[in-house]
Amino acid sequence: MTEQLRMMAVHAHPDDESSKGAATMAKYVSEGVDVLVATCTGGERGSILNPKLQGDPYIEEHIHEVRAKEMAEARDILGVKQEWLGYVDSGLPEGDPLPPLPEGCFALVDVEEAAGTLVKLIREFKPHVITTYDENGGYPHPDHIMTHKISMVAFEAAGDPERYPEAGEPWQPQKLYYNQGFNRQRTQALHDALIERGMESPYGEWLERWDSIGRDRDLTTFVPCGDFFEIRDKALIAHATQIDPDGGWFRVPLDIQREIWPTEEYELAKSLVSTSLPEDDLFAGIRNN
């Protein structure tokens, strides 16, 4: 292709972009690809997960502004562009039975309406590739599942001039992927490598519960991005309210990660171009067209 390649990553909350596919995005930015993160909600109802910041009255009172500032820092670290879709975090309902979702939250917005907001952004940015979540949301957070729903509608609708005519000139993305970075193959490989080296693994419990979680998916695309794992981790740590820098995210040394599993993984969900699986490039079939 003679024009610049463009990629859009659709995520539910600030911090999702840094925990899912961040090294891939940093790699593509380094190659001159234009990368845009579309963040569906402001993360207003996210719990403060970093124990070092829990109980801070300023953060609790200004969580929306704090998380927006964290997102800006992570965005700059990754070198990506970022836009907010403007919806309100639904929170993660807990209890049995589950409580109703809060009125006005993202997960309760009409799917066609929210997809229209994403269609407008797609038509403005004109991505060749879109990444999002699978039908389970990666994990069953209502905002992640909603992100999947609107991404699927928007992928089909963005190129159709009869749908959302008020959203701008049609643009048809060529490929859509599901983020599948949390997969059994990667987890087992890193677990085994740590045990073989006499080190403690953070993945033992995960692997024991894996079959009940039902997370196995078809991995079609393995993007080599080990050189960008430091940038990924730095972006993740920028989301200080969500990530403890001494926590489980960072227990596997980077040299072991690069040696054992130096890729990020995706599931090709839709493609309008010919490609051969497995792939090592989200733009496979696009670059040479």
Side-chain angles (χ1 to χ4, degrees), residues 76 107 126 132 156 186 222 258 289:
D76 291 346
K126 299 178 171 56
T132 189
E156 298 293 341
R186 174 184 180 274
F222 299 75
R258 289 197 190 93
N289 284 353

Side-chain angles (χ1 to χ4, degrees), residues 57-95:
Y58 178 85
I59 292 175
E60 291 177 352
E61 186 176 346
H62 301 90
I63 188 65
H64 186 280
E65 293 87 346
V66 169
R67 296 203 70 184
K69 185 177 179 182
E70 292 173 347
M71 180 69 244
E73 184 178 347
R75 176 191 69 211
D76 291 346
I77 291 166
L78 293 172
V80 301
K81 298 173 180 175
Q82 189 255 342
E83 295 285 348
W84 303 95
L85 293 196
Y87 295 101
V88 177
D89 189 347
S90 305
L92 182 60
E94 296 179 293

Side-chain angles (χ1 to χ4, degrees), residues 38 189 270 282:
K270 290 182 177 292
L282 300 182

Side-chain angles (χ1 to χ4, degrees), residues 223-264:
V223 178
C225 51
D227 290 344
F228 299 88
F229 285 172
E230 285 102 339
I231 294 176
R232 172 202 65 191
D233 289 358
K234 189 176 179 183
L236 196 52
I237 289 170
H239 292 283
T241 58
Q242 306 300 298
I243 302 296
D244 180 357
D246 300 316
W249 286 100
F250 311 105
R251 287 184 186 154
V252 183
L254 289 179
D255 60 337
I256 293 179
Q257 292 186 47
R258 289 197 190 93
E259 176 189 346
I260 302 300
W261 204 270
T263 63
E264 289 181 337

